[in-house]
Amino acid sequence: MDRHILYGVLLTALCVCGSPSKAQHSSDLSSYNQKAAAIVERYKKELLQGRGIEKKMMQDSVDVVVSPYMFKLLGPGVYYSSALKKNFELDYELPTEGAKEVASRAMDERNSINTLIDKALVNAYVGAPTAFRYSDSQIESEVLVSSEPVANAKPEDLEAIYKKAEEIKDVAEIVDDVEVELQIEKPNFWTTKGQFKFQFLQNYVSEKWWRGGNNNVDLFTQLVLEARYDNQKGIQWENTLDMRLGFVTASSDSIHRYLTNNDKIRLFSKLGIRAIKNWNYALSTEATTQFLPSYRSNDRRTFSNFLAPLDVFVSLGVDFKPSLKNGNTFSAAILPLTYKVRYIGDKEETIHNSYNMRGKDFQQDFGSRVEVNTKMTIVKNLTWKSRFYFFTTHEYVESEFENTFSFQFNKYISCDVYTIWRFDDNRNKRYYDSTLGYFQFKEYFKLGLSYGF
């Protein structure tokens, strides 16, 4: 039955239930209603002033809703056992005015209202039994939910929980008769990632092109693998393997069909142990060589080869590594104790002469080294990677400054602008650049496939 119809039944029952004399009821009910209205009005004011009830709620509600005595009628449909017990008596009459002392009138009025409401409920139970879904015994058995907010755990509270957890030897001490399956997984402190690039540049010039030129195809591949260990307790271990190989064809070269213009194998590893905030004690190692023999245009001599040379650095010092946002990284290692080994595993005399190692395959030096590695996101999809190292034995200096600007068009297409400056004053002067002297420079622009994993 619709609740509005039920309300009509209940209110009608209030007016007609259990009345032996209409005249007597009319007189008593008039006085009774005036007093009940006064009680309701007083209760409304108490709610507004002392109990913080919103004014809008009071304005939208009628008296019978606000009155606490009417809750049984206009609240959820409930079978009240007290109403059934009291109203099985058929000789109910309204109390007469002045029947008791004035001091007890308030109690009489409250009892009279409750009795009248109980009788109305009984009539409603008979007239619309399907509208009542609950009983007061069900409501009494419900558990109240606390409305107080749960306070956030404090660090000292969590610390106490952690200490308590160490004291627990058996789960049964805190949980009884419950089957618990525990699966403990060893945390993985390793993070790995990689990137593969295949880029190319092609140039074609017809045979009788009016300004001349050469046809060439430039291919470049790069594979970078990284593995990083961080136990969150001050130990970090970084490992990087960078392999590059690029070829260029040049019709002007009558000796070689192609030349390597980018050939490098670099293995880098750095172990850090936290000293103070952002500063670590660092042990750094680096090994570099190349894949294939390297030639110059129209020259049959080999200027470098696999393991010719092989440079190995072992350095000890400190590393400054601040925490940056958005995946940016910065590391500046100051390594005053550095041991360098250079090995040439090729008998080609040109290679030995080029690296100032005439008549020997092995050379070692002690010195100092500085390493700076940076990775920054300039704007979305545009990344700048930089590597700088400076090594000196206080007799000669060897240094490189490498920069790569990468723009990622989508997941698979990217372009790179790469530059590297190198300074080395430990070679025979005839191998130096006639314009730049001790400095050397290389640059390329590539467009092609790129895939990260």
Side-chain angles (χ1 to χ4, degrees):
M1 179 179 291
D2 187 82
R3 292 304 299 271
H4 297 287
I5 299 175
L6 176 58
Y7 294 162
V9 172
L10 296 175
L11 293 175
T12 302
L14 280 174
C15 298
V16 301
C17 63
S19 175
S21 173
K22 292 186 177 179
Q24 180 66 27
H25 274 298
S26 177
S27 176
D28 291 344
L29 193 58
S30 176
S31 174
Y32 170 82
N33 285 341
Q34 292 178 4
K35 296 175 182 178
I39 294 173
V40 170
E41 186 63 27
R42 183 169 68 251
Y43 183 76
K44 288 170 59 177
K45 291 181 180 179
E46 290 177 359
L47 290 179
L48 283 173
Q49 296 176 1
R51 304 189 184 182
I53 305 298
E54 296 181 3
K55 189 174 182 180
K56 183 178 184 303
M57 172 182 172
M58 303 300 299
Q59 292 174 346
D60 294 344
S61 303
V62 296
D63 290 346
V64 292
V65 176
V66 176
S67 173
Y69 307 109
M70 299 301 174
F71 174 77
K72 290 183 178 180
L73 296 180
L74 301 180
V78 176
Y79 282 100
Y80 292 96
S81 58
S82 60
L84 294 171
K85 291 178 181 178
K86 292 179 181 179
N87 287 278
F88 273 115
E89 298 177 0
L90 302 179
D91 58 346
Y92 170 78
E93 293 182 1
L94 284 170
T96 59
E97 187 71 20
K100 296 183 179 180
E101 297 296 329
V102 176
S104 62
R105 283 181 180 177
M107 183 65 70
D108 291 339
E109 291 173 355
R110 185 178 66 180
N111 293 335
S112 299
I113 292 173
N114 288 334
T115 303
L116 187 61
I117 290 174
D118 290 342
K119 197 166 187 69
L121 285 171
V122 172
N123 284 270
Y125 295 160
V126 175
T130 58
F132 300 89
R133 301 180 181 179
Y134 310 99
S135 67
D136 52 2
S137 60
Q138 290 176 316
I139 297 176
E140 292 174 357
S141 63
E142 293 293 334
V143 178
L144 294 179
V145 179
S146 175
S147 60
E148 297 183 2
V150 179
N152 293 330
K154 299 179 180 179
E156 53 268 24
D157 296 335
L158 295 177
E159 187 67 24
I161 294 174
Y162 295 150
K163 292 181 179 178
K164 182 65 177 177
E166 296 178 356
E167 300 174 2
I168 299 173
K169 304 301 182 181
D170 189 354
V171 178
E173 297 177 5
I174 57 174
V175 180
D176 294 332
D177 301 328
V178 176
E179 294 185 2
V180 179
E181 293 184 3
L182 296 180
Q183 183 177 359
I184 301 176
E185 294 184 0
K186 185 178 180 179
N188 184 12
F189 298 121
W190 286 94
T191 56
T192 59
K193 62 180 180 179
Q195 187 176 43
F196 174 76
K197 291 184 178 181
F198 177 76
Q199 299 169 324
F200 64 93
L201 177 66
Q202 187 265 342
N203 179 45
Y204 174 77
V205 179
S206 64
E207 183 179 356
K208 300 297 182 180
W209 183 249
W210 63 294
R211 285 186 174 178
N214 294 314
N215 301 332
N216 61 72
V217 176
D218 189 348
L219 300 176
F220 172 76
T221 58
Q222 181 182 18
L223 177 63
V224 179
L225 302 176
E226 297 180 359
R228 184 174 183 269
Y229 176 87
D230 186 355
N231 69 350
Q232 307 299 322
K233 292 185 178 180
I235 298 180
Q236 297 179 356
W237 186 19
E238 301 177 11
N239 300 274
T240 302
L241 176 61
D242 185 355
M243 297 180 289
R244 310 176 189 181
L245 187 59
F247 301 92
V248 59
T249 61
S251 57
S252 60
D253 191 339
S254 59
I255 299 176
H256 309 98
R257 296 183 57 184
Y258 62 87
L259 298 172
T260 57
N261 65 342
N262 210 318
D263 191 355
K264 185 176 184 179
I265 304 174
R266 175 175 174 264
L267 178 62
F268 174 79
S269 180
K270 181 169 62 177
L271 176 64
I273 300 176
R274 184 177 301 163
I276 57 176
K277 183 179 180 181
N278 297 333
W279 286 91
N280 299 329
Y281 301 111
L283 174 63
S284 172
T285 59
E286 180 178 338
T288 58
T289 186
Q290 64 187 60
F291 287 99
L292 301 174
S294 179
Y295 307 95
R296 294 179 179 174
S297 181
N298 294 309
D299 192 336
R300 297 184 183 277
R301 294 178 299 173
T302 303
F303 288 86
S304 60
N305 204 342
F306 179 67
L307 299 182
L310 168 65
D311 290 339
V312 178
F313 293 89
V314 179
S315 307
L316 184 64
V318 293
D319 184 20
F320 175 68
K321 292 185 64 176
S323 298
L324 304 180
K325 298 180 180 179
N326 302 322
N328 298 329
T329 59
F330 176 84
S331 171
I334 303 173
L335 309 164
L337 302 177
T338 299
Y339 173 67
K340 177 188 175 182
V341 177
R342 172 167 285 174
Y343 169 75
I344 296 180
D346 193 300
K347 300 302 181 182
E348 177 67 40
E349 184 179 356
T350 304
I351 299 177
H352 288 263
N353 294 339
S354 177
Y355 290 97
N356 198 24
M357 292 179 62
R358 182 188 298 271
K360 58 181 179 179
D361 298 332
F362 180 84
Q363 178 179 301
Q364 58 182 350
D365 293 298
F366 293 91
S368 301
R369 179 180 169 98
V370 174
E371 301 174 0
V372 180
N373 290 276
T374 306
K375 178 182 178 183
M376 298 286 180
T377 299
I378 301 175
V379 295
K380 185 179 180 180
N381 297 335
L382 179 60
T383 303
W384 169 49
K385 291 183 179 180
S386 176
R387 183 182 71 90
F388 171 80
Y389 87 83
F390 178 93
F391 172 75
T392 179
T393 63
H394 308 292
E395 293 181 357
Y396 72 89
V397 171
E398 179 181 299
S399 178
E400 285 185 359
F401 184 39
E402 186 178 24
N403 292 277
T404 305
F405 294 88
S406 299
F407 186 82
Q408 196 78 27
F409 291 97
N410 54 41
K411 186 177 180 180
Y412 302 106
I413 305 296
S414 69
C415 69
D416 292 345
V417 177
Y418 173 83
T419 63
I420 180 171
W421 284 91
R422 180 178 173 86
F423 181 91
D424 186 0
D425 61 357
N426 188 36
R427 304 173 67 192
N428 192 297
K429 290 185 177 181
R430 68 175 184 167
Y431 293 103
Y432 291 135
D433 190 287
S434 59
T435 303
L436 299 177
Y438 295 136
F439 285 95
Q440 302 170 53
F441 178 74
K442 183 167 69 171
E443 175 270 338
Y444 66 73
F445 172 82
K446 302 289 185 182
L447 174 66
L449 299 177
S450 174
Y451 180 71
F453 55 92

